[in-house]
Every structure is written in C-alpha cells, then in structure tokens.
Amino acid sequence: MEPISQPTAAGASSAPHPCYSEQAHRHFARLHLAVAPACNIQCHYCNRKYDCSNESRPGVVSELLTPEQATQKALAVGAAIPHLAVVGVAGPGDPLANPERVFATFRELAAKAPDLSLCISTNGLALPQQVEELVKYRIGHVTITINCVDPDIGARIYPWIFWNHRRVRGRQAAEILIAQQQKGLEMLVTRGVLVKVNSVLIPGINDEHLHEVHRVVKARGAFLHNIMPLIARPEHGTYYGLTGQAEPTAEQVRALRDACASDSGGTGMMSHCQQCRADAVGIVGQDRGAEFTLDKVAAMQVDWRAALAKRATVRAAIERRMALHSQIAHPAQPMPLLARRSRPNASETLRMAVASNDGHNVDAHFGSAREFLIFDISPVGAKLVERRNIDRYCNGPTTCGDAAPALAGAIAALSDCTVLLCARIGFEPWRALEDAGISPNSEHAREPIIDALLTVYAEWRDSGRRAAEATSTCLCA
Amino acid sequence: MAFRIVASCINCWACPPLCLSGAIRPAVPHFRIDAARCTECAGDYADPQCASICPVEGAIVDSAGEPLNPPGSLIDLSPGSLMKAVRGMENPSEPSVLEARILREHLVGRDFRLACQAQVLGDVTVRPA
C-alpha cells in the first residue's frame, strides 16, 4: 500500500485532520457547522435554493445554525464522539461572507474546546482581508476552491461575484476572484497555515487547464491539491445540471490526479475526498448528523471540561494504534508478495475494488458500501490507487426512484476493475456486475484486505485468465 | 419608495448586513423589508445592495412588483433554455415527484406561461410568485 503520511510541512499543525491525512480520515471524526449561509459568489455547479436530507454533496445542509447553536452542537458532538478532532465551517454559503457568525463560533470553541482543530473551506474572494483574523483563531487548515487561474475559463464557471458593493459579472468577475484566491493562498502559506486547494473537474471547461492550476498552486505553496469530480444533475437545479454539462468519469478523475501527481513528484495530491455535506458529523462515510439535530442538541447536558479530558485520552489511544498499524502496514521490508520485480507489467496487473468499512478488513456489504478501495496488484506489490466514492448523489430511494440507477452508477464507477471483493452481495447486483465484466467475490468476507487481495491475485494468475486476456490483446501467453 | 422580499427568498442572510438603513429583518417564513426604513440605497450606492448580492431571481421586487433580478439574470439561463433543459429531462408518461419539484422550484417566478405549457407538470400546483 502507498505510504500514508501526516502533514510534515514547516509550520504544520500536529492535529490529526481527516482531510489532510488519509490515515486520520479513517480514525478521527470531523464536524461541519452549517453556520455560514450567505455567499458572495455564484458558481455554475451550485444551487443556493436546494436542500435535501438524502443528498450528500457540498453546499447541502438540513438545518442552519446560529453561532450559539453551532457552539452548543460542537460541544455536544465533542462529548458524544470523543475521537472528534476537527471542527470546520464549509457553508452552506462561504464562511468568509459570514465573518461575524463564523468568528463568534470559533471564539467560543477556542475557549471551551481548545484541543479541536478549526478549519474553513472558502471560495477565496474575501480571504486576503480575513487572513489575520483566521490566524488569530489559530486556524491551522484552510481549503480554497480554485477551479481556474485563467479568467476566460473562470467566466464559464462563475456567472457573478459580489465585490465592492456591486454585482460584477463575466470575465471581470473571474479576474477579481482569481487574484483574490492567489493572494489569499500566498498570505496563508507565509503565515504557516496548511492550505488545501480543491478543484472541481468540469469536462470540456477546465479539465486540461487543471494541470496549470496544479502547477500554480503548488508553486505558491499549497500543501495538498484535491481534484474532485463535478456533480451536475438536472434534479439539483444547477446551471450545469440543467444545461446537460457532463460529469467526469472515475477514469478521467484518476488520470488527471495521476498526471498532476507525477508533475509534482508524486506528492501533495489527495485521493480520499468524499465531497462531504456542509453539515457532516462523525467519521467520514459514517454520518451521525441525525443524532445531533437542533432539538436533540438542545436537550443534551454537556460537561465540556469532562469531554475535553476524554478526548485527550481517546486521541492518545488512537495515535498509539495508528503508529502500530502503520508499522504493520508499511514494514521496513517491502510487501511479502510473490516474485519481486522492479516494474510491473500491465498484463500482470489486476485492479480490484474492495468494499470495506474499517479500511482493514473485507467487511462491507456491496449494497451498503459508500466507498470502495481500489487496488492495483502486481508481482511488485499491492498499491492503493484511491478511495472511490460511489454514492455521492443520493441514498434516499423513497424520494429518488428505485435502486436500479444507483446500481448502474456503482457499476459504472467500478468499470475499470476486474474483481470486486465484498462481505456480502445480492443476486441481482452479482449478475449485473458479471454482465459488466467485473467478477464479484464474497469468499473472503471479514478477512484482512491484504490477505484477500493476495489470495485472489494468486488465483487469478493461476487460472489462466491472464493468458486469455493476453491473447485478446495480441500478446503471447 | 421601498423594496419588498417575496416568497422565493431562501433566508440566506446575505442581505441584512449590507443594508445601511437596517431595514431588512429576519422573519417567518422569510426575511422582510421594513418599508418605512428602506431607501432603495438612493444616494448611498449606485446599486441597491440587497438586490446586488441576492442569489435568487425574483426574490426582491420594487414598489411596482417588478423583480430587481429578473428571470435568467443570475444563473444565465433564459426561460427558453430552461424549458429546453426541462424538456430534455421529461420524457415521462408519468412525471415523478422529483421532476415536479424541480419544475416548481425553477419555474415559479420565471415564466408562468411557459411553466403551464410544460407537459410534465402533472398535478403540481404552479402559481406565479
């Protein structure tokens, strides 16, 4: 598996942030406080009117919070979920278009939960004038969504911005926004804040251009670059959704991430993003928002001092476990795997998808898996290519039609895989997967992932499938 | 001389901090403008501030009831191209609840006549904003 590293940049925060470390993402919980409703720009992939409790995508929330409610919710979640490490504001609008609400919340939390790492995710328009304030509240992580560095491209993504008391449109708007984003990025980096840049991959609009974005933001000191697929469906009512703008395929996203990673020497690309809601609660992929609605939080008695102490104990235990796990998963010696060769041959590489909840064992039911771990296995070793989300649109079958489209979506997302490992799978999806050329396999339920991968790879190699495939691609078997 | 906020307001809090005269107040079911206080920003800004940041077309109207941000002005979709998009996704013998909801959200306050022509409306009540 590829090494999973914690931030190590100069001035890096030591807080385990799920977005900034794939390992932290599995062990530590985060909370998004929906305290920032207003926005100062319009993006073509966003619809400010829309709100759906069954959807999981950025910008969507169920309940808007006042700063008092937000503080209360964070303290309640911090007491009930002691592995909570991060509290962020990501919307539903832009945090920095709501500075009073956001900073009032952070002020309270800095006093009552000083161990929790605070972060924001912003479009960057108001960033330069707020940087000093952010530093004051010891905000160690900031995400800026940067989709372009070319105003002509920006004009096709942003219809307008609100700037100096006017609504500014078109190329001029994009020009101002880009300048503010770049200036803000530079100011944060200078002050030792870790910056993640999110870029939405919009096929035909900024797909080629994101190489340039990657170069520019890395040169300015961005710690991580996260290329995310555009979500655009007619039912979301966004400009892109209504005009039939295509979403990228999983393969397009992966190819661009790989290309950018190789541009910058294989570092600083994020591949575990789940495109969370702006009111997400808990470990990524296991949302517990329903336990912390406004009325439920109001009824909770929270002892924030006791919660603080409990979190310290739990965090120390998790960190010990993570250190141990990392020794097992990344031993000093390479993977004990088959014959070792320096470079894998494409025909010897098997791509497998694994349904796993805990990230260690094949323990998830195909139908309920929200993400799959995608591995490439070759005689050289097993490489975790990415964590791939298949259920980012909707999981409410009662409001969004039957399960067939969801199944088709899952299969399309796995189309590059030859084998799917899961704990259980129904008959229908089994047949549909086979029809799509993907072999489902539930024989290794609850086994450690790495053992299952090795066993299945050895079987695949021996079974002559490789020979058959080699023949079909005109290679000698 | 005063503006008015109508039902399509989404209570996003963008406008109150911008109002110099403090005329915009949170209210149920949506924000309201105190007509006695609203100056339409005359003499202070070239453009009325509330309408310059409002993300919803048609949500703020002038004293004649005309929307300050008319249909198609904020998301660059004219009623015509919106209908084209809607027709592209219709194809229904029976419209789904979801489709009906989209239509209601997007056509109300835009072009009532076009909305009524859409074949997919089913039994959903569409009314002008």
Side-chain angles (χ1 to χ4, degrees):
Chain A
M1 274 186 263
E2 72 182 355
I4 298 163
S5 59
Q6 280 280 92
T8 52
S13 158
S14 62
H17 194 304
C19 303
Y20 287 72
S21 151
E22 183 165 0
Q23 205 179 358
H25 164 102
R26 285 204 289 265
H27 297 283
F28 286 101
R30 51 67 177 113
L31 165 66
H32 286 170
L33 294 172
V35 73
C39 198
N40 46 13
I41 72 173
Q42 176 70 53
C43 306
H44 275 328
Y45 45 76
C46 180
N47 174 6
R48 303 301 319 288
K49 285 186 266 189
Y50 210 77
D51 178 12
C52 171
S53 58
N54 283 326
E55 272 191 62
S56 188
R57 62 190 165 95
V60 169
V61 300
S62 296
E63 284 177 329
L64 177 67
L65 308 175
T66 64
E68 296 72 31
Q69 289 165 334
T71 308
Q72 209 180 357
K73 178 171 178 175
L75 294 175
V77 171
I81 305 181
H83 47 285
L84 182 72
V86 173
V87 177
V89 178
D94 189 85
L96 301 182
N98 304 259
E100 283 171 25
R101 297 171 70 101
V102 171
F103 291 127
T105 308
F106 284 172
R107 207 160 27 240
E108 276 296 294
L109 289 179
K112 292 183 176 163
D115 60 323
L116 297 179
S117 177
L118 304 176
C119 67
I120 61 153
S121 178
T122 176
N123 61 46
L125 181 63
L127 190 51
Q129 54 266 49
Q130 301 287 359
V131 164
E132 296 310 332
E133 200 71 3
L134 288 169
V135 172
K136 209 162 85 189
Y137 291 102
R138 58 173 188 85
I139 288 164
H141 302 82
V142 170
T143 297
I144 315 174
T145 300
I146 299 180
N147 299 317
C148 57
V149 289
D150 173 347
D152 288 320
I153 292 173
R156 300 172 65 195
I157 303 173
Y158 308 102
W160 57 264
I161 66 171
F162 181 74
W163 178 250
N164 283 344
H165 300 286
R166 308 199 72 149
R167 201 190 301 267
V168 181
R169 299 168 189 270
R171 192 180 190 283
Q172 194 196 350
E175 212 165 355
I176 296 166
L177 177 63
I178 291 166
Q180 291 290 101
Q181 289 171 334
Q182 295 299 325
K183 188 174 171 195
L185 166 59
E186 208 163 81
M187 290 172 77
L188 288 170
V189 170
T190 309
R191 285 157 182 78
V193 176
L194 288 183
V195 181
K196 171 161 71 70
V197 169
N198 280 351
S199 297
V200 181
L201 168 51
I202 311 161
I205 294 188
N206 72 350
D207 40 358
E208 286 305 313
H209 180 59
L210 286 183
H211 293 276
E212 172 71 4
V213 171
H214 180 74
R215 271 192 297 278
V216 170
V217 302
K218 287 306 258 185
R220 284 226 157 77
F223 179 74
L224 265 184
H225 188 201
N226 175 29
I227 292 177
M228 314 182 291
L230 168 73
I231 299 175
R233 296 189 151 193
E235 61 266 34
H236 297 154
T238 60
Y239 174 87
Y240 285 148
L242 290 170
T243 53
Q245 166 65 48
E247 295 178 348
T249 62
E251 187 53 32
Q252 279 174 303
V253 177
R254 194 194 56 79
L256 185 61
R257 283 176 179 167
D258 284 356
C260 289
S262 74
D263 285 350
S264 53
T267 60
M269 285 301 293
M270 178 178 181
S271 62
H272 63 283
C273 178
Q274 299 293 300
Q275 296 179 283
C276 303
R277 290 163 59 97
D279 59 1
V281 181
I283 294 251
V284 181
Q286 304 161 27
D287 199 80
R288 294 179 59 178
E291 296 168 43
F292 302 97
T293 53
L294 273 178
D295 48 339
K296 287 180 185 162
V297 167
M300 290 178 190
Q301 293 294 322
V302 175
D303 179 344
W304 58 266
R305 286 188 184 85
L308 183 61
K310 188 169 179 197
R311 284 196 299 271
T313 317
V314 168
R315 181 183 297 190
I318 294 175
E319 281 172 346
R320 275 196 304 275
R321 212 168 63 219
M322 272 168 59
L324 189 67
H325 177 257
S326 121
Q327 277 168 24
I328 297 167
H330 316 293
Q333 292 297 311
M335 296 277 300
L337 192 67
L338 317 173
R340 281 178 51 215
R341 238 180 280 152
S342 57
R343 298 180 59 178
N345 183 323
S347 68
E348 292 175 315
T349 303
L350 178 64
R351 177 160 289 188
M352 292 197 244
V354 180
S356 173
N357 290 324
D358 67 1
H360 307 302
N361 299 297
V362 183
D363 63 354
H365 188 297
F366 174 73
S368 61
R370 295 179 57 87
E371 67 167 12
F372 289 95
L373 306 178
I374 309 293
F375 289 92
D376 276 345
I377 327 292
S378 72
V380 178
K383 180 176 183 286
L384 176 61
V385 180
E386 64 178 329
R387 309 169 76 88
R388 191 175 291 168
N389 186 359
I390 56 143
D391 192 21
R392 60 177 201 263
Y393 305 115
C394 191
N395 53 10
T398 50
T399 55
C400 300
D402 62 21
L407 176 60
I411 290 175
L414 300 177
S415 60
D416 57 334
C417 302
T418 309
V419 176
L420 163 81
L421 298 180
C422 59
R424 278 178 59 204
I425 180 167
F427 178 71
E428 277 299 314
W430 181 289
R431 211 171 49 183
L433 281 164
E434 285 201 323
D435 289 347
I438 305 164
S439 310
N441 182 327
S442 57
E443 290 164 28
H444 301 278
R446 283 168 296 281
E447 286 179 22
I449 291 171
I450 191 66
D451 295 351
L453 290 173
L454 295 188
T455 311
V456 174
Y457 182 72
E459 287 167 4
W460 175 77
R461 224 176 38 147
D462 297 342
S463 73
R465 285 189 206 188
R466 200 182 111 224
E469 241 184 43
T471 312
S472 73
T473 53
C474 303
L475 290 172
C476 191
Chain B
M1 199 173 88
F3 296 142
R4 201 157 48 83
I5 292 177
V6 300
S8 46
C9 167
I10 57 165
N11 299 326
C12 80
W13 287 88
C15 57
L18 298 175
C19 182
L20 272 187
S21 44
I24 306 173
R25 302 272 173 76
V28 177
H30 56 79
F31 284 70
R32 290 177 64 91
I33 294 176
D34 181 344
R37 289 182 162 217
C38 175
T39 63
E40 300 187 357
C41 294
D44 291 311
Y45 295 110
D47 303 323
Q49 294 300 286
C50 56
S52 296
I53 199 167
C54 181
V56 181
E57 293 164 0
I60 305 178
V61 299
D62 64 17
S63 47
E66 287 298 315
L68 295 171
N69 295 303
S73 66
L74 297 187
I75 70 162
D76 292 350
L77 272 178
S78 65
S81 56
L82 185 71
M83 281 313 298
K84 203 171 131 209
V86 169
R87 290 212 179 89
M89 70 177 151
E90 68 179 276
N91 196 11
S93 49
E94 206 161 319
S96 69
V97 175
L98 190 63
E99 283 168 324
R101 193 173 68 195
I102 303 156
L103 279 167
R104 193 169 46 201
E105 291 216 353
H106 288 279
L107 297 182
V108 169
R110 282 178 168 273
D111 189 320
F112 182 54
R113 187 175 47 81
L114 278 171
C116 289
Q117 283 167 3
Q119 294 302 301
V120 294
L121 288 175
D123 58 354
V124 175
T125 311
V126 175
R127 55 186 173 74

